[in-house]
């Protein structure tokens, strides 16, 4: 099964991808996480991406598409993937479709997590993530037992540089129209499912489960 999680910054893609990918044996691939890791390692790719990310802009397609296609072609992606944050432009979606079609594969479903924009700012400015395992928290709605420490692994919790209010606003502006364009693109392929992303994370998970394409049902 090959799925895409679509949604604006803060919609809950990362939170939900962790749960769903685990349950269904899919490889969770987040291009944002890949860029952040590359930046932390100081690679050329990471340093190039970091400038765009800190301004709330998209990393150029010629960088992003190559990186993602290389990742989904590796053996550990063969059993199924859950894409989080890719595609983010129509050229990215077209390149993905072409690369999968060349191997006789396709995207099975696109789950569009919808959250009113006025909720996204506080979700993002209150987010903390584990620097070791990537677990995602929120200082008000999903706080760890001990401030600054990951419940899962004891790692240190940090805030993302691009979660400052001005950068969040820039990210929303960057992604608003592309997200709608992608919804139309996958709607035209009859692959789009729109999911209400408000309420408790577990409620959103249940809605996503109910919207999975037939291929994914019952594979727990
Ligand atoms: P990326 O890392 O993908 O960031 P994003 O799309 O802005 O999305 P986020 O990770 O901020 O939000 P999320 O939807 O994962 O929400 P989360 O689950 O964490 O990309 C970062 C940057 O990299 C981009 O800006 C761009 O520069 C670059 N990039 C990446 N991919 C690219 C691409 N394909 N092309 C070009 N450039 C690319 O949840 C957020 C918060 O809300 C958390 O605190 C969480 O605890 C809380 N929360 C989650 N669910 C709920 C709920 N139901 N109720 C209340 N709170 C909740
Ligand atoms: Mg994320
Ligand atoms: Zn952790």
């Amino acid at each position: 099964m090959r799925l895409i999680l679509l949604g604006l910054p803060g919609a809950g893609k990362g939170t939900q991808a962790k749960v769903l990918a685990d349950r269904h044996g899919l490889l969770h691939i987040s291009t944002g996480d890949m860029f952040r890791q590359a930046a932390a390692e100081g690679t050329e790719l990471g340093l190039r991406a970091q400038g765009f990310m800190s301004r709330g802009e998209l990393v150029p397609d010629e960088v992003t598409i190559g990186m993602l296609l290389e990742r989904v072609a590796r053996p550990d992606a063969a059993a199924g993937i859950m894409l989080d944050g890719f595609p983010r432009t129509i050229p990215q979606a077209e390149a993905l479709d072409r690369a999968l079609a060349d191997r006789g594969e396709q995207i099975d479903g696109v789950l569009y997590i919808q959250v009113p924009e006025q909720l996204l700012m506080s979700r993002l400015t209150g987010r903390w993530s584990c620097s070791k395992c990537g677990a995602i928290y929120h200082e008000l709605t999903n706080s760890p037992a001990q401030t600054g420490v990951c419940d899962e692994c004891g790692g240190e919790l940090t805030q993302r540089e691009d979660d400052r209010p001005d950068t969040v606003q820039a990210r929303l502006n960057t992604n608003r129209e592309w997200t709608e364009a992608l919804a139309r693109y996958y709607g035209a392929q009859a692959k789009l499912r729109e999911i209400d992303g408000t309420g408790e994370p577990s409620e959103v998970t249940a809605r996503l489960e109910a919207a999975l394409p037939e291929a994914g049902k019952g594979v727990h």
Side-chain angles (χ1 to χ4, degrees):
M1 188 166 56
R2 292 174 199 83
L3 300 175
I4 292 170
L5 285 185
L6 185 65
L8 286 174
K13 301 181 295 295
T15 299
Q16 298 298 333
K18 279 190 199 308
V19 179
L20 289 170
D22 227 41
R23 278 193 200 168
H24 296 276
L26 305 174
L27 180 70
H28 173 202
I29 301 177
S30 156
T31 40
D33 287 348
M34 291 172 79
F35 286 135
R36 277 184 291 278
Q37 193 185 338
E41 289 166 357
T43 65
E44 198 187 319
L45 168 79
L47 297 177
R48 183 152 180 224
Q50 201 164 27
F52 295 99
M53 295 171 83
S54 63
R55 291 191 298 273
E57 296 167 8
L58 295 182
V59 179
D61 282 346
E62 68 262 25
V63 176
T64 308
I65 290 172
M67 176 185 78
L68 184 281
L69 293 184
E70 190 269 325
R71 184 69 193 86
V72 299
R74 281 194 240 157
D76 61 349
I81 52 177
M82 171 152 284
L83 297 178
D84 158 5
F86 187 99
R88 230 182 261 252
T89 65
I90 297 296
Q92 290 182 13
E94 290 171 344
L96 176 64
D97 274 351
R98 274 197 303 273
L100 291 176
D102 283 349
R103 298 199 292 268
E105 299 169 354
Q106 59 161 0
I107 291 298
D108 299 301
V110 179
L111 305 169
Y112 180 13
I113 307 178
Q114 296 183 309
V115 176
E117 260 195 56
Q118 63 268 24
L119 298 181
L120 298 176
M121 180 64 77
S122 57
R123 281 196 184 189
L124 291 174
T125 53
R127 170 169 58 187
W128 291 80
S129 334
C130 177
S131 51
K132 224 161 112 190
C133 77
I136 301 167
Y137 298 89
H138 190 280
E139 58 195 25
L140 301 178
T141 59
N142 177 25
S143 56
Q146 196 186 334
T147 306
V149 181
C150 179
D151 290 343
E152 309 279 324
C153 77
E156 184 198 353
L157 302 185
T158 58
Q159 286 199 289
R160 268 168 53 176
E161 195 204 338
D162 62 347
D163 280 346
R164 292 188 315 257
D166 55 332
T167 316
V168 169
Q169 198 54 59
R171 286 160 60 201
L172 291 172
N173 293 340
T174 299
N175 286 286
R176 198 177 288 121
E177 282 175 25
W178 277 126
T179 304
E180 282 305 312
L182 289 163
R184 288 192 295 275
Y185 178 88
Y186 289 110
Q189 296 185 7
K191 290 179 181 164
L192 190 77
R193 310 272 193 287
E194 297 185 348
I195 314 294
D196 175 4
T198 65
E200 290 295 317
S202 60
E203 296 176 286
V204 180
T205 307
R207 291 184 202 123
L208 288 163
E209 288 281 2
L212 287 180
E214 283 308 315
K217 296 256 166 81
V219 193
H220 287 257

